[in-house]
Amino acid sequence: MAEIAPFRGILYDTAHVRGDDVLAPPYDVIDAAMRRALSQKSDRNCVGLILPEGEGDDKYTAAAHTMAAWLKDGTLRRDPVPAFYRYHQQFSVAELGAAVVTRRGFIAQVKLHDFADGVILRHEKTLSGPKADRLKLMTATEAHLSQIFALYADPAGVIDDALAAVDCEVPVLDATTDDGTRHLLWRVTDPAAIARVTGEMAQKSLYIADGHHRYETMLALRDRFGGPAAFGTMFLANMDDPGLVVLPTHRLVFGLASFSADALLADMAAWFSCEPLERTDDAAFVLAELAKAGAVRPSLAAIFPDGRGVLCSLRADFDAAAAGLDVHPAVARLDVTLLHSLILERSLGITPKAQEAQAHLSYFKDTGDALARIAAGKGQVCFVMNATPVDQVTAVADAGQVMPQKSTFFYPKIASGIVFRSLAS
């Protein structure tokens, strides 16, 4: 099963830089304005590594030169001994009220496996473009610059207990990112703790929560170079941790030439039982009603620009085969599958290829933002979704199936700049 090991991480030297100034979100959520803002915080912000500037492939060479320069001047330092890196994220989120939540896990190097091996499992589709970009960056820098986020099952919390001794020590990194998340990092070098964690993990499978593109890129790097590239860098979290938060991702449909709300609702009536929503301007109300319905059957809400809203629950007599839904049973009754396969593709004519290209389709993680946009007429219909439970994610992965894009949103994201891993030796 999973083979993990400590490694000599490359960390920012906080005697030279402030952690708040050098961390960044994952590269794929950084737009041009955010990149400028991060660079203005510090010329040592990790955005210079994970999203380098330059023409064509020159930007990858620039990232390699930047990393070498920062190692030379002491901005970055490589640890002298291998370690696991205990990583906490403390955060709050509106959907959970004002309480501060702590997600616990650790960063390790993990032996890479093809998905067919059944050791490391996926649940999402990937696209070719992001993988080509990340492969060039990893090759040029000879480093893993960010972590895959993966889950393991440990209901008794044995692994967390083995790592917890460092929690009372002063962290080697204590930084807060712009989203308000506090990031705490400790080194775990105790041989007994490392041995215990390594032994426990050897009995487990890993489920990719976030970072499918980067994982497949690491596989390509492994196949090209071998050696240290046979291991990837992962943040590993217990799927039974109460601090593991999954949020929904909503869909906004726009720009369809022949859209009709009445025709859409008529089509949906073949698969869903729909009833009016009393309010569509209150995110908390919509989410609460949707959660109640989703506890009984797969459900979603459809909101229209004129203020109409309907709460739609899968009909009790729904039969996937009769509906022409030719998918594996593990995904046949997922709300995201029903939305993408039946409603988006069949009713609205947004093909799978168009969905991947986000043609006529936008994704929103903030419910209030999504409702405000549809109310302002910036879309033709907004589909408000429930979060996908972790047990559904693992069931899909165990069955060797994949969900539509953006089916899960594990909050918060793993920060970039926490720790890097050299592939040079």
Side-chain angles (χ1 to χ4, degrees):
M1 302 301 279
E3 181 181 337
I4 72 168
F7 66 99
R8 293 174 55 208
I10 298 172
L11 282 69
Y12 276 103
D13 186 343
T14 53
H16 287 72
V17 296
R18 292 177 67 248
D20 293 11
D21 294 338
V22 296
L23 299 188
Y27 79 98
D28 54 353
V29 301
I30 300 174
D31 60 17
M34 186 184 296
R35 195 196 186 287
R36 286 193 298 272
L38 290 166
S39 297
Q40 288 169 1
K41 277 187 169 187
S42 171
D43 61 1
R44 296 299 193 268
N45 188 280
C46 72
V47 73
L49 296 178
I50 65 171
L51 204 61
E53 292 183 311
E55 294 296 325
D57 288 356
D58 288 347
K59 59 179 173 284
Y60 306 114
T61 304
H65 290 163
T66 296
M67 190 166 192
W70 291 356
L71 283 165
K72 184 177 181 179
D73 69 18
T75 299
L76 297 175
R77 294 188 185 278
R78 191 176 186 189
D79 282 346
V81 297
F84 289 146
Y85 296 89
R86 173 82 155 163
Y87 179 27
H88 289 184
Q89 290 172 289
Q90 296 178 349
F91 60 97
S92 59
V93 61
E95 286 82 353
L96 300 178
V100 175
V101 179
T102 300
R103 184 171 69 193
R104 299 169 175 84
F106 70 103
I107 297 169
Q109 62 172 343
V110 181
K111 186 175 182 180
L112 300 172
H113 285 268
D114 295 333
F115 293 126
D117 296 343
V119 176
I120 298 172
L121 305 168
R122 62 177 173 176
H123 72 272
E124 271 190 7
K125 297 178 180 178
T126 58
L127 305 176
S128 59
K131 288 183 282 189
D133 166 64
R134 291 298 98 177
L135 181 59
K136 290 180 179 179
L137 182 61
M138 291 182 194
T139 301
T141 59
E142 296 186 317
H144 289 158
L145 302 178
S146 59
Q147 290 77 48
I148 310 302
F149 180 4
L151 304 173
Y152 61 88
D154 185 14
V158 174
I159 291 170
D160 195 66
D161 287 346
L163 296 167
V166 298
D167 293 357
C168 61
E169 299 176 1
V170 176
V172 297
L173 176 71
D174 184 347
T176 301
T177 44
D178 291 341
D179 62 357
T181 302
R182 184 182 180 191
H183 304 267
L184 301 161
L185 192 76
W186 297 264
R187 296 181 183 90
V188 178
T189 56
D190 175 57
I194 289 173
R196 186 179 183 194
V197 171
T198 303
E200 289 289 333
M201 290 299 298
Q203 307 170 45
K204 302 183 183 300
S205 297
L206 299 179
Y207 298 85
I208 297 176
D210 195 13
H212 288 78
H213 287 96
R214 278 168 286 157
Y215 185 79
E216 293 191 15
T217 303
M218 287 180 183
L219 288 177
L221 199 68
R222 173 204 66 180
D223 294 343
R224 180 178 295 185
F225 297 110
F231 282 73
T233 314
M234 294 191 182
F235 167 70
L236 305 170
N238 184 1
M239 68 177 66
D240 301 292
D241 182 357
L244 185 67
V245 173
V246 189
L247 298 179
T249 301
H250 314 300
R251 277 76 167 159
L252 187 74
V253 174
F254 62 91
L256 294 176
S258 58
F259 179 84
S260 165
D262 291 335
L264 172 62
L265 291 172
D267 282 352
M268 290 174 62
W271 312 304
F272 294 90
S273 299
C274 298
E275 58 184 46
L277 270 171
E278 294 179 7
R279 298 188 60 184
T280 60
D281 60 347
D282 185 332
F285 174 81
V286 173
L287 288 174
E289 293 298 300
L290 182 57
K292 285 191 290 186
V296 181
R297 290 198 299 273
S299 301
L300 53 87
I303 314 293
F304 299 95
D306 60 5
R308 280 188 298 166
V310 291
L311 183 62
C312 303
S313 297
L314 191 65
R315 290 175 49 147
D317 61 353
F318 176 79
D319 181 274
L325 192 59
D326 185 21
V327 295
H328 191 278
V331 298
R333 296 177 68 86
L334 298 179
D335 51 10
V336 290
T337 299
L338 299 166
L339 171 65
H340 280 254
S341 297
L342 295 180
I343 300 174
L344 297 182
E345 183 176 353
R346 193 176 303 179
S347 293
L348 298 178
I350 305 175
T351 65
K353 185 176 181 179
Q355 292 174 31
E356 289 183 358
Q358 297 185 28
H360 305 294
L361 190 63
S362 295
Y363 295 87
F364 294 90
K365 295 177 171 62
D366 185 285
T367 310
D369 185 17
L371 294 179
R373 286 175 180 266
I374 193 66
K378 295 182 179 179
Q380 294 162 310
V381 59
C382 176
F383 293 104
V384 180
M385 311 298 292
N386 278 315
T388 303
V390 173
D391 61 349
Q392 289 185 359
V393 174
T394 57
V396 169
D398 285 336
Q401 302 298 304
V402 292
M403 298 178 178
Q405 279 185 292
K406 301 186 185 296
S407 295
T408 57
F409 174 32
F410 289 86
Y411 186 86
K413 296 280 190 176
I414 304 301
S416 298
I418 294 293
V419 60
F420 308 117
R421 175 173 169 259
S422 172
L423 299 176
S425 59

